[in-house]
Amino acid sequence: MKIIDLRSDTVTLPSDEMREAMAGAELGDDVFREDPTVNRLQKTAAELTGKEAALLVSSGTMGNLVCVLTHCGRGEEVILGDKSHMFLNECGSMATVGGIHPHTIPNQPDGTMYLKDIESAIRGDNDHWPHTKLICLENTHNRCFGTPLSSEYMASVAVLARERGLRVHLDGARIFNAVVALGVDLKEFSRHVDSLSFCLSKGLSTPVGSVVCGTRDFIAEARRNRKLLGGGMRQAGIIAAPGIIALDKMITRLAEDHENARRLAEGIANISGLSIDVSTVRTNIIYFDIETEHITAEQLRNRLEREGIKALSTGPRRFRLVTHYGIDAEDIDRTLTVLNEILSQKG
Ligand SMILES: *Cc1c(COP(=O)(O)O)cnc(C)c1O
């Protein structure tokens, strides 16, 4: 029985071509900047984002932290969404490691923050207050239904930031899902931010790694912060090689994941006892709720697991499912069949 793992797009495995590229990669010591494969990946990433320079880091979490440490000093403040990954799921790293203060404001269901909320969170000059330094955005927004933020919205945040002398960082762990869903060039997003981080290891399916992009000066300082965090890697071309393939071949296929997510959501909408707002499904992430009293999230998760389907429950009645490379339309149909069976067996 094939295991259908819908917990996350982080479970994706590298393609055969990626494995071959890893085996054959030309290597050197990247702390000495002598790994030609890492250099090639970083050059490609900088070109794709329209930024001057890029830096390979070990994870999205490290990428975000390296950027925050580069933008902010101790006692300075970051404005970010209360449902952002950086706030919820990164061990409070900016505070723990950097002495940097997170100032959360509400994320709307579409992943945006109201400009008026951002504006009123910006501190004035007062001895009691930390200095506001940075605004962080997340695109696509993981907790907010995987919604892609429009480049127009990002532009409006950039204008406000510029007026107030603030920087903007983008947690673009899944920015390529936004690129594909909205059909706009990556540069339409990156041009509105001072730094961005994107994951190679999620929808793009490489085993390890994220990339941070910004100006040459920013990346030079980010390199020091990466070293501080223990992220100076040596023959890192091993992980950069599949990244180069990912940026070349794995972006346009994300449309397939989006189609499968939609198919799954539409199927779930027809199962009595489950509820989903199909209009929220824009990329590869769907959330649905159990409406019936007959089954708990834990019971449903266990029943699915017995059928070889892995799902993530994110609350007592809520599930998140993520489509990705390795999940096809047949897997979606099987998942719907099993869900139907489970929900129709009442009591
Ligand atoms: C996964 C994710 C990250 C962190 O990436 P890791 O590689 O798991 O550390 C950051 N931001 C968002 C929105 C994510 O979904």
Short mmCIF file of all heavy atoms in Angstrom, two decimals, residues 69-104:
data_model
loop_
_atom_site.label_atom_id
_atom_site.label_comp_id
_atom_site.label_asym_id
_atom_site.label_seq_id
_atom_site.Cartn_x
_atom_site.Cartn_y
_atom_site.Cartn_z
N LEU A 69 18.47 39.03 12.51
CA LEU A 69 19.70 39.44 13.20
C LEU A 69 20.49 40.46 12.39
O LEU A 69 21.20 41.30 12.95
CB LEU A 69 20.60 38.22 13.47
CG LEU A 69 20.12 37.20 14.50
CD1 LEU A 69 21.06 35.99 14.53
CD2 LEU A 69 20.02 37.82 15.90
N THR A 70 20.36 40.37 11.08
CA THR A 70 21.10 41.30 10.22
C THR A 70 20.40 42.67 10.18
O THR A 70 21.07 43.70 10.11
CB THR A 70 21.25 40.70 8.80
OG1 THR A 70 21.86 39.41 8.93
CG2 THR A 70 22.10 41.57 7.90
N HIS A 71 19.08 42.68 10.25
CA HIS A 71 18.34 43.94 10.22
C HIS A 71 18.33 44.64 11.58
O HIS A 71 18.26 45.88 11.63
CB HIS A 71 16.88 43.70 9.83
CG HIS A 71 16.66 43.39 8.38
ND1 HIS A 71 17.01 44.28 7.38
CD2 HIS A 71 16.13 42.31 7.76
CE1 HIS A 71 16.69 43.74 6.20
NE2 HIS A 71 16.16 42.55 6.41
N CYS A 72 18.33 43.87 12.67
CA CYS A 72 18.01 44.45 13.98
C CYS A 72 19.11 44.17 15.01
O CYS A 72 19.75 43.11 14.97
CB CYS A 72 16.72 43.84 14.55
SG CYS A 72 15.30 43.98 13.47
N GLY A 73 19.23 45.09 15.95
CA GLY A 73 20.12 44.88 17.09
C GLY A 73 19.31 44.59 18.35
O GLY A 73 18.07 44.66 18.34
N ARG A 74 20.00 44.31 19.44
CA ARG A 74 19.33 44.01 20.71
C ARG A 74 18.42 45.16 21.11
O ARG A 74 18.79 46.32 20.99
CB ARG A 74 20.36 43.78 21.83
CG ARG A 74 21.17 42.53 21.66
CD ARG A 74 22.06 42.29 22.87
NE ARG A 74 21.27 41.89 24.04
CZ ARG A 74 20.80 40.67 24.24
NH1 ARG A 74 21.03 39.73 23.37
NH2 ARG A 74 20.09 40.39 25.32
N GLY A 75 17.24 44.83 21.61
CA GLY A 75 16.31 45.85 22.09
C GLY A 75 15.51 46.52 20.99
O GLY A 75 14.64 47.34 21.28
N GLU A 76 15.76 46.14 19.76
CA GLU A 76 14.94 46.70 18.68
C GLU A 76 13.74 45.80 18.43
O GLU A 76 13.67 44.68 18.94
CB GLU A 76 15.80 46.90 17.42
CG GLU A 76 16.81 48.02 17.67
CD GLU A 76 17.71 48.33 16.51
OE1 GLU A 76 18.00 47.42 15.70
OE2 GLU A 76 18.16 49.49 16.42
N GLU A 77 12.78 46.34 17.68
CA GLU A 77 11.49 45.66 17.58
C GLU A 77 11.10 45.31 16.14
O GLU A 77 11.39 46.05 15.21
CB GLU A 77 10.40 46.56 18.20
CG GLU A 77 9.08 45.84 18.39
CD GLU A 77 8.13 46.66 19.25
OE1 GLU A 77 7.61 47.69 18.77
OE2 GLU A 77 7.89 46.28 20.41
N VAL A 78 10.42 44.16 16.04
CA VAL A 78 9.95 43.66 14.75
C VAL A 78 8.42 43.58 14.78
O VAL A 78 7.85 43.02 15.72
CB VAL A 78 10.52 42.25 14.48
CG1 VAL A 78 9.93 41.66 13.20
CG2 VAL A 78 12.04 42.28 14.41
N ILE A 79 7.76 44.12 13.77
CA ILE A 79 6.31 43.99 13.65
C ILE A 79 6.00 42.79 12.75
O ILE A 79 6.54 42.71 11.64
CB ILE A 79 5.69 45.27 13.05
CG1 ILE A 79 5.92 46.45 14.01
CG2 ILE A 79 4.21 45.08 12.75
CD1 ILE A 79 5.52 47.80 13.42
N LEU A 80 5.19 41.88 13.26
CA LEU A 80 4.85 40.69 12.47
C LEU A 80 3.47 40.17 12.85
O LEU A 80 2.91 40.56 13.87
CB LEU A 80 5.93 39.61 12.60
CG LEU A 80 6.06 38.74 13.85
CD1 LEU A 80 7.17 37.73 13.66
CD2 LEU A 80 6.35 39.55 15.09
N GLY A 81 2.93 39.30 12.03
CA GLY A 81 1.58 38.80 12.23
C GLY A 81 1.49 37.80 13.36
O GLY A 81 2.42 37.01 13.58
N ASP A 82 0.34 37.80 14.05
CA ASP A 82 0.18 36.88 15.19
C ASP A 82 -0.03 35.43 14.75
O ASP A 82 -0.02 34.54 15.59
CB ASP A 82 -0.97 37.35 16.11
CG ASP A 82 -2.33 37.36 15.41
OD1 ASP A 82 -2.39 37.16 14.17
OD2 ASP A 82 -3.34 37.57 16.10
N LYS A 83 -0.22 35.20 13.45
CA LYS A 83 -0.31 33.82 12.96
C LYS A 83 0.90 33.48 12.08
O LYS A 83 0.90 32.47 11.37
CB LYS A 83 -1.60 33.62 12.16
CG LYS A 83 -2.85 33.78 13.02
CD LYS A 83 -4.10 33.40 12.26
CE LYS A 83 -5.34 33.62 13.11
NZ LYS A 83 -5.56 35.08 13.40
N SER A 84 1.93 34.31 12.15
CA SER A 84 3.10 34.06 11.30
C SER A 84 3.92 32.89 11.83
O SER A 84 3.97 32.63 13.03
CB SER A 84 3.98 35.32 11.22
OG SER A 84 4.51 35.64 12.49
N HIS A 85 4.56 32.20 10.91
CA HIS A 85 5.44 31.10 11.27
C HIS A 85 6.58 31.60 12.16
O HIS A 85 6.96 30.97 13.14
CB HIS A 85 6.00 30.45 9.99
CG HIS A 85 6.66 29.13 10.21
ND1 HIS A 85 7.96 29.02 10.67
CD2 HIS A 85 6.21 27.87 10.05
CE1 HIS A 85 8.26 27.73 10.76
NE2 HIS A 85 7.23 27.02 10.39
N MET A 86 7.08 32.79 11.83
CA MET A 86 8.21 33.35 12.60
C MET A 86 7.83 33.57 14.05
O MET A 86 8.66 33.43 14.94
CB MET A 86 8.68 34.68 11.97
CG MET A 86 9.36 34.48 10.63
SD MET A 86 9.82 36.06 9.86
CE MET A 86 11.13 36.59 10.97
N PHE A 87 6.58 33.95 14.29
CA PHE A 87 6.14 34.16 15.67
C PHE A 87 5.77 32.84 16.35
O PHE A 87 6.14 32.60 17.49
CB PHE A 87 4.95 35.13 15.70
CG PHE A 87 4.43 35.34 17.10
CD1 PHE A 87 5.23 35.93 18.07
CD2 PHE A 87 3.15 34.94 17.45
CE1 PHE A 87 4.75 36.12 19.37
CE2 PHE A 87 2.67 35.12 18.74
CZ PHE A 87 3.48 35.71 19.70
N LEU A 88 5.05 31.98 15.63
CA LEU A 88 4.49 30.79 16.27
C LEU A 88 5.45 29.60 16.33
O LEU A 88 5.43 28.85 17.30
CB LEU A 88 3.23 30.33 15.51
CG LEU A 88 2.02 31.25 15.56
CD1 LEU A 88 0.91 30.69 14.66
CD2 LEU A 88 1.52 31.39 17.00
N ASN A 89 6.27 29.45 15.31
CA ASN A 89 6.92 28.14 15.12
C ASN A 89 8.44 28.18 14.99
O ASN A 89 9.02 27.28 14.39
CB ASN A 89 6.34 27.46 13.88
CG ASN A 89 4.89 27.05 14.09
OD1 ASN A 89 4.50 26.61 15.17
ND2 ASN A 89 4.07 27.24 13.07
N GLU A 90 9.08 29.23 15.49
CA GLU A 90 10.53 29.28 15.35
C GLU A 90 11.21 29.50 16.70
O GLU A 90 12.23 30.20 16.81
CB GLU A 90 10.91 30.33 14.29
CG GLU A 90 10.29 29.93 12.94
CD GLU A 90 10.64 30.79 11.74
OE1 GLU A 90 11.53 31.66 11.85
OE2 GLU A 90 10.02 30.57 10.69
N CYS A 91 10.64 28.87 17.74
CA CYS A 91 11.26 28.85 19.08
C CYS A 91 11.49 30.24 19.66
O CYS A 91 12.34 30.41 20.53
CB CYS A 91 12.61 28.12 19.05
SG CYS A 91 12.50 26.44 18.49
N GLY A 92 10.74 31.23 19.19
CA GLY A 92 10.97 32.59 19.69
C GLY A 92 12.40 33.04 19.45
O GLY A 92 12.99 33.78 20.24
N SER A 93 12.97 32.60 18.30
CA SER A 93 14.41 32.76 18.09
C SER A 93 14.89 34.21 18.12
O SER A 93 15.97 34.50 18.62
CB SER A 93 14.83 32.10 16.78
OG SER A 93 14.16 32.72 15.70
N MET A 94 14.07 35.13 17.61
CA MET A 94 14.57 36.51 17.56
C MET A 94 14.79 37.04 18.98
O MET A 94 15.76 37.77 19.23
CB MET A 94 13.67 37.43 16.73
CG MET A 94 12.31 37.73 17.31
SD MET A 94 11.40 38.93 16.28
CE MET A 94 10.86 37.91 14.92
N ALA A 95 13.91 36.64 19.90
CA ALA A 95 14.08 37.06 21.29
C ALA A 95 15.16 36.24 21.98
O ALA A 95 16.02 36.78 22.68
CB ALA A 95 12.75 36.92 22.04
N THR A 96 15.11 34.92 21.78
CA THR A 96 16.03 34.01 22.47
C THR A 96 17.47 34.30 22.07
O THR A 96 18.36 34.40 22.92
CB THR A 96 15.71 32.55 22.08
OG1 THR A 96 14.31 32.37 22.12
CG2 THR A 96 16.38 31.57 23.01
N VAL A 97 17.71 34.40 20.80
CA VAL A 97 19.09 34.53 20.31
C VAL A 97 19.49 36.00 20.16
O VAL A 97 20.62 36.36 20.47
CB VAL A 97 19.26 33.79 18.95
CG1 VAL A 97 20.68 33.92 18.43
CG2 VAL A 97 18.87 32.33 19.10
N GLY A 98 18.55 36.83 19.68
CA GLY A 98 18.94 38.18 19.29
C GLY A 98 18.57 39.27 20.27
O GLY A 98 18.97 40.43 20.09
N GLY A 99 17.78 38.97 21.31
CA GLY A 99 17.32 40.04 22.20
C GLY A 99 16.45 41.03 21.43
O GLY A 99 16.40 42.22 21.74
N ILE A 100 15.75 40.53 20.43
CA ILE A 100 14.91 41.38 19.57
C ILE A 100 13.45 41.13 19.94
O ILE A 100 13.04 39.99 20.15
CB ILE A 100 15.19 41.07 18.09
CG1 ILE A 100 16.66 41.41 17.76
CG2 ILE A 100 14.25 41.82 17.17
CD1 ILE A 100 17.22 40.66 16.59
N HIS A 101 12.69 42.22 20.00
CA HIS A 101 11.34 42.16 20.54
C HIS A 101 10.29 41.97 19.45
O HIS A 101 10.17 42.82 18.57
CB HIS A 101 11.07 43.48 21.28
CG HIS A 101 9.90 43.44 22.18
ND1 HIS A 101 8.89 44.37 22.12
CD2 HIS A 101 9.58 42.60 23.17
CE1 HIS A 101 7.99 44.09 23.06
NE2 HIS A 101 8.39 43.03 23.71
N PRO A 102 9.52 40.86 19.48
CA PRO A 102 8.46 40.69 18.49
C PRO A 102 7.20 41.44 18.91
O PRO A 102 6.74 41.29 20.03
CB PRO A 102 8.21 39.17 18.48
CG PRO A 102 8.61 38.71 19.85
CD PRO A 102 9.63 39.67 20.38
N HIS A 103 6.66 42.24 18.02
CA HIS A 103 5.43 42.99 18.28
C HIS A 103 4.38 42.45 17.30
O HIS A 103 4.43 42.76 16.11
CB HIS A 103 5.71 44.48 18.03
CG HIS A 103 4.57 45.38 18.39
ND1 HIS A 103 4.74 46.73 18.60
CD2 HIS A 103 3.25 45.15 18.57
CE1 HIS A 103 3.57 47.28 18.89
NE2 HIS A 103 2.67 46.34 18.88
N THR A 104 3.46 41.64 17.82
CA THR A 104 2.49 41.02 16.91
C THR A 104 1.25 41.87 16.74
O THR A 104 0.79 42.52 17.69
CB THR A 104 2.06 39.63 17.39
OG1 THR A 104 1.52 39.75 18.71
CG2 THR A 104 3.21 38.66 17.40
#
